[in-house]
Amino acid sequence: MLAIARQRMLGQSFKKILPAVSVLRSYSSAAKQITVREALNSALDEEMSADPKVFLMGEEVGEYQGAYKITKGLLEKYGPERVLDTPITEAGFTGIGVGAAYYGLKPVVEFMTFNFSMQAIDHIINSAAKSNYMSAGQISVPIVFRGPNGAAAGVGAQHSQCYAAWYASCPGLKVLSPYNSEDARGLLKAAIRDPDPVVFLENELLYGESFPVSDEVLDSSFCLPIGKAKIEREGKDVTITAFSKMVGYALKAAEMLERDGIYAEVINLRSIRPLDRSTINTSVRKTNRLITVEEGFPQHGVGAEICASVVEESFSYLDAPVERIAGADVPMPYAANLERMAVPQVEDIVRAAKRACYRSVPLAATA
Amino acid sequence: MAFYSKNPRNIINNLKSKVGLWSLMKQSHGTCSYCSCLNTIHLHRFLPLTTLPQFTNPDSISHKKGHFPHFQRFQSTTTEKQIDSVPNGEHSQVLDFPGGKVVFSPEMRFLSESPSVYSQCYRVLDDTGQLISHSNFVPVSEEVAVKMYSNMVTLQTLDTIFYEAQRQGRISFYVTSIGEEAINIASAAALTSDDIVFPQYREPGVLLWRGFTLQEFANQCFGNKADYGKGRQMPIHYGSNKLNYFTVASTIATQIPHAVGAAYSLKMDKKDACAVTYFGDGGTSEGDFHAAMNFAAVTESPVIFICRNNGWAISTPTSDQFRSDGIAVRGQAYGVRSIRVDGNDALAMYSAVHSARHMAVNEHRPILIEAVTYRVGHHSTSDDSTKYRPANEIEWWRMARDPVTRFRKWIEINGWWGSEAESQLRSSIRSQLLHAIQIAERAEKPPVNDLFTDVYDNIPSNLREQEKLLKETINRHPKDYPADVPI
């Protein structure tokens, strides 16, 4: 009970602290702050302006300005031919987007959440991901599928699943997941410019969060490489990998761990497929301990793949078993207290890091 | 949603004309079914006795989202009077809804689930190859007709020989188009090479018409080094960028929304071309079909949907597939103009596709063509259709309703063909095919590195590494690997 109350208080206070902390950590020049929403909107705007082949499709992207206002102002600026409000058929508009990509246009298809992409997953996998291979290079599919992924707040089981592991298992797709505004801008631009189909997993709760960005990031030619992870915070004692919202939690956990003398290295994966195995392994070879963090279900998750990769390539460097922090193995409950317990919290990461550093009893012993 | 708010006037006019027609039917036609009357009006309006230019709507330039002028061609003049006679003001039986004005009636009347008369089927040549009197059709020159016939014969022979090759174990799998040669060739002949084709898998004739050689067909079936697909797919999964024919995928009906997307792109690029997609009666049960039809109508995309209603989806007859009166009637449900055609009548198919293309490209609208035919062959070489249908039914369709013979009779009547030309053609094609198979069979398979390319635009490092490891393994244990796969 007490723990939950404390969590709530901490959560609120951390929300206020975060922007200041990021400023201290980031660029020395007086940084402008933009929200992830603004970052995505500006990236779409710039890419549409630069290339007339780019166009948007999805439910409510036009007149409604986007279900989460990501596409605000774009219908007005580019007109209904380039910002398409679609009927309610994920399978339909995904298929149509893929057809347009086959022809040579560059559609950016929005799913209101990635949960709804399940209705269109045949087109994403069988028509987009595999086409270049099956046609032996004759059909390339320069399409981007984007939308919020993972848990939001109080939206229940059918609106909260994380699809990173699902899409990242498929060869032919690229899967990206940004954390902050810089990631959002750089990775979305890279995704739109990439000739392969890209699944772009955003996070609804991050849309409203502000992050500082340098002038370089705000430049319209800014782009981040696909397949490179970012070391958000350097450390020497334990490596924590995370993506999307969990990067924020991992950073907070690292703060807390520092007070106890544990210096954690936080890796923001940015790219789930291709996974930056080299950065992860280099970091593990330095720290000798690994915690993977994700919101999704534990079995066959992103953490499982990272763990296997590290065991294959850096086994002799590990001083402790790899631990995976993941969402609870249940469909997401609705009640706020249950929802909180079904998603990883900062404390879970802290405790796992301490176990990895042998500061507390290993989990297996308590089972 | 967005579209309604943009075009209130056109939607209102649309509904007005539709509803007006309906009440007209109710009043003056008694037992006449809604569907068949509408179909009759369709036919009389867009296939005039003179040729093409007559039915070009001068107002049809794309950017006006005007449904109204087009619908005018489909109404009889009495309908208009009917609308005007609906009183406005306090006795008005018309009310506004978001979709437009709706006329009310105190009489409870359900729309019937099936028409009293099945929708008409357009046909021009009778079973003996004679032109039916008073028929409207788009004329073909001798050159085109002879080319159509030769291609139909080639397709038929190609199918027969490749089927036998599979039975002999020389290729692993094959799908024939026997009985559907007219649909394949006549539709292809009515299109231009700029039109983008999204096939299912029973339309190799379209590729044949466009210039895919017998050798190229054989290469794909044998999966050799010269296969454009680099040996990655089963036989009959042909594709050719050059000929605007998208690679066949095994998934059913997924190509239908793809075609709409491509059509939309063609419209955006203002190209003088349309997208064409083929599918069977079974494919129309897939969700993709419905989503695509709806989308095509809403986005006003220049796409032609050609349904090969051949009566069977593997062993599922159409009576177990749907309960609607075939496919053409569904067009109206989505706001798509449609027609039912005798798929075994090459001339009717040609005319229908020709007209459809004209409407699609010039008016930016989708068209649905239901070509009724019969799947004479088995679903594929993995099927024995005598298990679920009578052998004599198959034989009857193969002989009495053969589209190739029917068209042959017509060109012979015109003096464009004879028995000598026939035997010459058949033996020439046969020997070319056997030769192509021999060459394809003996050719090398694709090299091992083709296993790893094209997953992405650029080969990623992990695959390059795996390729290296594989080659090393093969070099160390050559006996464990096939000899005809080059490294």
Side-chain angles (χ1 to χ4, degrees):
Chain A
M1 259 309 207
L2 209 60
I4 293 168
R6 204 190 312 153
Q7 266 185 14
R8 206 178 319 162
M9 274 186 351
L10 277 174
Q12 283 178 342
S13 55
F14 267 119
K15 250 204 193 113
K16 290 189 210 126
I17 292 175
L18 182 62
V21 163
S22 311
V23 166
L24 284 173
R25 186 151 291 115
S26 304
Y27 315 94
S28 51
S29 52
K32 187 176 168 203
Q33 295 244 354
I34 61 170
T35 60
V36 170
R37 177 178 289 116
E38 285 163 355
L40 294 168
N41 183 277
S42 59
L44 288 170
D45 193 352
E46 286 161 23
E47 292 304 302
M48 285 180 78
S49 160
D51 186 348
K53 291 198 164 91
V54 178
F55 73 102
L56 309 184
M57 259 174 114
E59 293 153 3
E60 312 297 315
V61 294
E63 299 267 356
Y64 196 74
Q65 309 297 319
Y68 299 100
K69 305 291 178 266
I70 306 296
T71 51
K72 185 169 177 186
L74 297 177
L75 173 65
E76 200 178 34
K77 188 166 174 187
Y78 295 101
E81 279 214 330
R82 290 187 70 194
V83 179
L84 243 66
D85 272 322
T86 67
I88 307 177
T89 164
E90 276 72 14
F93 65 70
T94 306
I96 277 146
V98 171
Y102 282 178
Y103 173 84
L105 296 187
K106 294 187 183 170
V108 178
V109 175
E110 175 177 307
F111 291 114
M112 209 178 276
T113 79
F114 263 94
N115 296 273
F116 311 154
S117 74
M118 289 198 286
Q119 300 199 284
I121 201 166
D122 178 70
H123 277 295
I124 300 174
I125 306 294
N126 281 330
S127 301
K130 299 180 184 171
S131 279
N132 200 44
Y133 189 77
M134 280 167 51
S135 70
Q138 293 188 86
I139 303 177
S140 98
V141 194
I143 194 170
V144 175
F145 302 104
R146 52 158 291 273
N149 175 57
V155 289
Q158 295 170 334
H159 289 65
S160 306
Q161 192 168 335
C162 174
Y163 290 87
W166 282 42
Y167 289 117
S169 72
C170 184
L173 278 183
K174 289 182 176 162
V175 181
L176 304 175
S177 194
Y179 161 57
N180 55 19
S181 305
E182 177 185 338
D183 289 353
R185 262 184 70 80
L187 293 177
L188 186 55
K189 279 163 163 295
I192 294 173
R193 295 179 199 177
D194 197 288
D196 295 311
V198 180
V199 169
F200 193 80
L201 305 170
E202 303 159 2
N203 186 293
E204 189 200 323
L205 297 175
L206 287 175
Y207 284 153
E209 272 197 46
S210 276
F211 296 91
V213 284
S214 66
D215 288 332
E216 187 201 347
V217 172
L218 292 171
D219 186 67
S220 64
S221 62
F222 177 66
C223 204
L224 284 174
I226 292 181
K228 288 295 303 160
K230 180 176 180 204
I231 300 186
E232 292 285 345
R233 182 191 175 116
E234 286 193 12
K236 60 179 181 60
D237 294 322
V238 59
T239 300
I240 305 177
T241 65
F243 61 95
S244 189
K245 190 155 171 29
M246 291 293 120
V247 176
Y249 283 29
L251 287 169
K252 284 177 208 161
E255 287 281 310
M256 292 170 76
L257 287 165
E258 190 177 10
R259 275 178 243 135
D260 286 327
I262 298 175
Y263 296 90
E265 179 148 293
V266 176
I267 300 183
N268 172 5
L269 292 176
R270 284 181 168 175
S271 175
I272 317 295
R273 181 184 252 270
L275 199 55
D276 190 353
R277 295 165 208 274
S278 107
T279 300
I280 298 168
N281 277 283
T282 307
S283 171
V284 171
R285 288 175 186 214
K286 183 172 75 171
T287 65
N288 311 123
R289 293 160 215 277
L290 175 63
I291 309 291
T292 69
V293 187
E294 65 194 294
E295 263 189 327
F297 299 131
Q299 190 166 342
H300 309 301
V302 177
E305 176 62 30
I306 294 175
C307 177
S309 170
V310 164
V311 163
E312 283 165 7
E313 294 181 38
S314 314
F315 181 66
S316 49
Y317 290 83
L318 284 171
D319 284 347
V322 177
E323 264 199 62
R324 299 175 287 169
I325 308 286
D329 201 19
V330 299
M332 182 70 71
Y334 169 75
N337 58 332
L338 295 178
E339 185 183 44
R340 204 176 305 115
M341 297 204 290
V343 179
Q345 299 300 329
V346 179
E347 288 67 30
D348 297 314
I349 305 173
V350 171
R351 281 196 293 270
K354 286 186 177 163
R355 283 194 295 269
C357 296
Y358 297 126
R359 298 297 188 88
S360 68
V361 182
L363 208 54
T366 60
Chain B
M1 284 274 283
F3 276 91
Y4 284 130
S5 59
K6 277 186 218 144
N7 306 302
R9 173 156 303 145
N10 292 317
I11 305 291
I12 290 168
N13 286 332
N14 248 355
L15 270 167
K16 243 206 285 198
S17 47
K18 275 187 189 159
V19 164
L21 201 54
W22 183 32
S23 47
L24 170 70
M25 295 300 133
K26 239 176 42 187
Q27 288 206 334
S28 54
H29 287 248
T31 52
C32 171
S33 92
Y34 176 58
C35 304
S36 72
C37 289
L38 211 54
N39 271 313
T40 322
I41 292 167
H42 273 199
L43 289 171
H44 289 175
R45 282 289 178 253
F46 72 89
L47 272 182
L49 289 167
T50 53
T51 47
L52 249 56
Q54 181 115 11
F55 54 78
T56 308
N57 186 328
D59 294 334
S60 69
I61 311 303
S62 61
H63 307 290
K64 264 209 287 185
K65 292 202 188 200
H67 288 294
F68 188 48
H70 309 152
F71 257 89
Q72 260 188 325
R73 279 190 279 120
F74 286 77
Q75 292 169 17
S76 60
T77 47
T78 26
T79 317
E80 293 231 54
K81 289 196 205 120
Q82 195 74 16
I83 297 290
D84 291 342
S85 73
V86 169
N88 284 314
E90 31 188 31
H91 300 296
S92 173
Q93 292 171 295
V94 180
L95 254 182
D96 263 313
F97 275 99
K101 286 200 195 309
V102 182
V103 175
F104 288 100
S105 154
E107 200 188 315
M108 181 172 70
R109 193 175 248 251
F110 285 80
L111 283 172
S112 172
E113 76 281 2
S114 65
S116 51
V117 179
Y118 286 132
S119 50
Q120 290 182 15
C121 184
Y122 169 58
R123 143 204 268 226
V124 162
L125 296 177
D126 67 19
D127 279 334
T128 62
Q130 313 248 22
L131 214 51
I132 298 173
S133 52
H134 310 302
S135 53
N136 302 338
F137 64 96
V138 176
V140 283
S141 66
E142 175 181 347
E143 194 190 331
V144 172
V146 168
K147 185 178 176 197
M148 276 169 64
Y149 181 71
S150 317
N151 272 272
M152 283 166 75
V153 170
T154 308
L155 178 58
Q156 205 178 48
T157 318
L158 169 82
D159 273 348
T160 316
I161 291 186
F162 274 110
Y163 184 85
E164 284 169 18
Q166 194 277 341
R167 283 293 180 249
Q168 292 167 6
R170 294 160 90 180
I171 54 176
S172 63
F173 178 78
Y174 194 72
V175 167
T176 62
S177 313
I178 307 283
E180 301 182 43
E181 293 90 350
I183 296 178
N184 268 251
I185 303 298
S187 63
L191 301 168
T192 70
S193 52
D194 289 329
D195 298 324
I196 309 181
V197 176
F198 289 81
Q200 181 68 80
Y201 46 63
R202 223 179 281 281
E203 304 90 16
V206 180
L207 206 46
L208 184 65
W209 175 271
R210 288 184 172 195
F212 211 59
T213 65
L214 300 177
Q215 191 63 62
E216 286 168 324
F217 278 109
N219 289 338
Q220 198 283 328
C221 286
F222 281 90
N224 62 31
K225 200 171 58 171
D227 170 24
Y228 299 138
K230 296 182 189 166
R232 290 185 186 144
Q233 291 213 67
M234 290 168 72
I236 69 100
H237 288 69
Y238 317 111
S240 166
N241 259 359
K242 193 177 65 165
L243 302 176
N244 270 330
Y245 187 95
F246 270 85
T247 310
V248 175
S250 315
T251 44
I252 299 292
T254 51
Q255 73 281 6
I256 311 178
H258 297 167
V260 179
Y264 184 78
S265 315
L266 284 168
K267 186 172 94 156
M268 270 177 72
D269 276 359
K270 301 189 175 34
K271 288 262 160 61
D272 176 20
C274 65
V276 184
T277 180
Y278 297 82
F279 43 92
D281 40 285
T284 66
S285 295
E286 282 281 357
D288 277 341
F289 167 75
H290 302 275
M293 287 277 286
N294 188 39
F295 234 105
V298 165
T299 54
E300 297 173 0
S301 300
V303 55
I304 305 177
F305 299 104
I306 301 182
C307 175
R308 296 175 292 96
N309 183 352
N310 61 19
W312 297 92
I314 310 190
S315 69
T316 308
T318 48
S319 54
D320 286 345
Q321 193 69 246
F322 44 70
R323 288 300 161 89
S324 55
D325 170 23
I327 317 300
V329 293
R330 300 187 194 179
Q332 193 167 59
Y334 294 108
V336 174
R337 193 173 292 170
S338 56
I339 187 172
R340 173 179 268 178
V341 185
D342 178 354
N344 290 0
D345 179 345
L347 215 48
M349 273 305 299
Y350 180 86
S351 300
V353 176
H354 196 279
S355 316
R357 186 189 180 279
H358 194 268
M359 286 186 277
V361 173
N362 292 56
E363 298 169 28
H364 287 141
R365 63 167 62 250
I367 307 283
L368 170 64
I369 297 178
E370 176 189 1
V372 285
T373 178
Y374 188 86
R375 191 197 77 208
V376 172
H378 306 304
H379 166 69
S380 72
T381 49
S382 310
D383 174 46
D384 174 12
S385 59
T386 57
K387 290 270 193 297
Y388 50 79
R389 55 184 187 175
N392 56 0
E393 175 187 299
I394 306 172
E395 264 318 288
W396 184 73
W397 279 92
R398 182 195 303 277
M399 305 310 294
R401 305 292 291 271
D402 180 17
V404 184
T405 320
R406 195 158 148 203
F407 195 59
R408 176 184 166 180
K409 293 202 178 115
W410 186 69
I411 56 173
E412 280 180 342
I413 287 168
N414 285 350
W416 298 337
W417 196 252
S419 53
E420 208 186 286
E422 176 78 15
S423 50
Q424 236 178 14
L425 175 69
R426 288 205 182 253
S427 60
S428 158
I429 300 290
R430 192 181 162 80
S431 60
Q432 281 179 54
L433 273 164
L434 293 173
H435 184 65
I437 287 180
Q438 272 194 339
I439 294 181
E441 204 166 24
R442 277 190 250 123
E444 250 185 355
K445 295 298 179 207
V448 154
N449 54 284
D450 271 346
L451 185 59
F452 300 100
T453 52
D454 303 318
V455 180
Y456 296 100
D457 197 53
N458 292 319
I459 184 168
S461 56
N462 67 322
L463 288 182
R464 233 183 281 127
E465 206 185 298
Q466 288 176 29
E467 188 189 333
K468 197 166 70 93
L469 290 171
L470 179 60
K471 287 195 175 157
E472 283 169 14
T473 312
I474 296 175
N475 282 326
R476 266 181 280 135
H477 309 279
K479 294 183 275 67
D480 294 341
Y481 290 88
D484 61 348
V485 179
I487 306 170

